[in-house]
Amino acid sequence: MNADLFKNPPLALDSQLFDASRFPLVRVRRRAIQPGCAFAWAAQMRRLLALATPFVIVAEHAGDETPDDFRLRAAWLRTHRAALGAHCRGFIVIEPRIEARAGTRETLRTLTEGSGVRTVVVSSMRVASELAPVLLKHTATKASARVSQSRAV
């Protein structure tokens, strides 16, 4: 069913920003994250949510993201908590530096707080690929619970 969804998607995703070729695993393309990309990112996230199908987002940690983009994306995530909790089964961030994972995990937890979206920081794409199906098996947590679960692996 999911493969059919992306052969004829009801809303096309920008393949330069999001790689949905392995949907429901959606990878944010690191090279596409440039200053000023927060608006395009938000538009793509709206399109993902409009599919009303569970998915997992995987992204490499972007320590060089501009403060303005970070604030805009954080505001968008706060505004869309309920929809995220209903359809996004997890955010997986790849941070290869072990000493940076705790800080990345805390930032991610803060961004998704109250949505019920599981957040995990991992060391590699291989680990993220193994973890994504596990997250997809979990049902959405109730948005009213306002609990964000976070781990570092």
Side-chain angles (χ1 to χ4, degrees):
M1 179 177 139
N2 288 334
D4 294 336
L5 182 67
F6 270 83
K7 286 181 185 170
N8 297 308
L11 296 166
L13 292 175
D14 178 352
S15 63
Q16 294 203 354
L17 186 58
F18 283 6
D19 175 2
S21 63
R22 295 180 51 204
F23 191 84
L25 175 90
V26 179
R27 186 163 184 197
V28 178
R29 295 184 189 274
R30 177 68 183 103
R31 284 182 232 123
I33 304 300
Q34 301 294 323
C37 74
F39 291 108
W41 178 90
Q44 295 306 298
M45 289 297 293
R46 279 192 302 276
R47 289 184 175 130
L48 270 176
L49 292 174
L51 295 173
T53 302
F55 62 91
V56 171
I57 296 281
V58 175
E60 293 176 45
H61 175 65
D64 57 347
E65 182 176 28
T66 68
D68 286 341
D69 283 336
F70 181 82
R71 279 191 295 274
L72 287 168
R73 287 187 336 107
W76 189 93
L77 289 166
R78 279 191 308 275
T79 303
H80 294 84
R81 283 183 197 152
L84 280 170
H87 302 297
C88 183
R89 296 299 185 256
F91 278 106
I92 302 172
V93 174
I94 300 168
E95 174 53 81
R97 299 170 302 139
I98 194 166
E99 67 278 3
R101 284 189 208 130
T104 301
R105 181 182 66 241
E106 184 59 27
T107 300
L108 187 59
R109 185 197 62 76
T110 301
L111 285 173
T112 60
E113 190 171 30
S115 68
V117 174
R118 289 171 173 80
T119 58
V120 186
V121 178
V122 299
S123 60
S124 67
M125 185 59 193
R126 181 188 59 76
V127 176
S129 295
E130 292 171 1
L131 183 59
V134 174
L135 293 177
L136 283 165
K137 288 181 183 176
H138 289 283
T139 58
T141 57
K142 293 184 181 179
S144 60
R146 305 276 183 204
V147 175
S148 180
Q149 302 170 8
S150 181
R151 292 184 33 191
V153 178

